[in-house]
Amino acid sequence: MTKLKLVETIRAAIQEWAQQHSIELALLEVEPTGIESDVRIIVVARKGFENWSEIDRDESLYQYLRSKLGDADIVKISLTITMSEEEYDSYLRVEV
């Protein structure tokens, strides 16, 4: 799968996952890292992560993506971060 096709497939799968779990996305980034064919994913929810621990939502997303992509493409995901808007605001303050 080409890098562009992989990004599009991951993006569509995350949108499906969010819809299935009644998650209202505030931000969805699926971007190449610049290292081979690796991609980085950031998912920020406006609503829907209130009752999920970070580990549970990360595991749920990972398993969903694995079911959609398969082993060959799942290894190309170098980083997955799931956050609420509040967590994202804190993340941005630390990054700056």
Side-chain angles (χ1 to χ4, degrees):
M1 185 179 305
T2 67
K3 188 182 280 192
L4 180 58
K5 181 66 175 163
L6 178 62
V7 167
E8 290 171 358
T9 301
I10 291 171
R11 194 169 184 63
I14 293 170
Q15 289 170 335
E16 288 173 12
W17 171 80
Q19 187 175 29
Q20 286 180 9
H21 292 286
S22 301
I23 297 166
E24 183 181 330
L25 297 176
L27 175 70
L28 173 55
E29 290 184 5
V30 180
E31 297 179 350
T33 64
I35 301 171
E36 296 181 12
S37 58
D38 289 1
V39 296
R40 172 182 65 98
I41 299 169
I42 297 177
V43 178
V44 179
R46 182 169 293 116
K47 293 180 185 174
F49 284 165
E50 298 84 8
N51 298 316
W52 282 31
S53 70
E54 184 178 349
I55 290 171
D56 288 343
R57 61 190 185 222
D58 286 348
E59 181 65 18
S60 175
L61 178 57
Y62 174 80
Q63 291 301 328
Y64 190 81
L65 289 175
R66 189 166 189 211
S67 74
K68 292 292 187 176
L69 300 174
D71 292 336
D73 288 320
I74 198 75
V75 297
K76 296 176 184 174
I77 299 172
S78 61
L79 176 66
T80 302
I81 301 173
T82 58
M83 296 179 260
S84 66
E85 282 185 313
E86 295 79 24
E87 291 167 327
Y88 186 64
D89 289 342
S90 296
Y91 172 80
L92 289 177
R93 282 193 294 273
V94 171
E95 289 288 310
V96 175

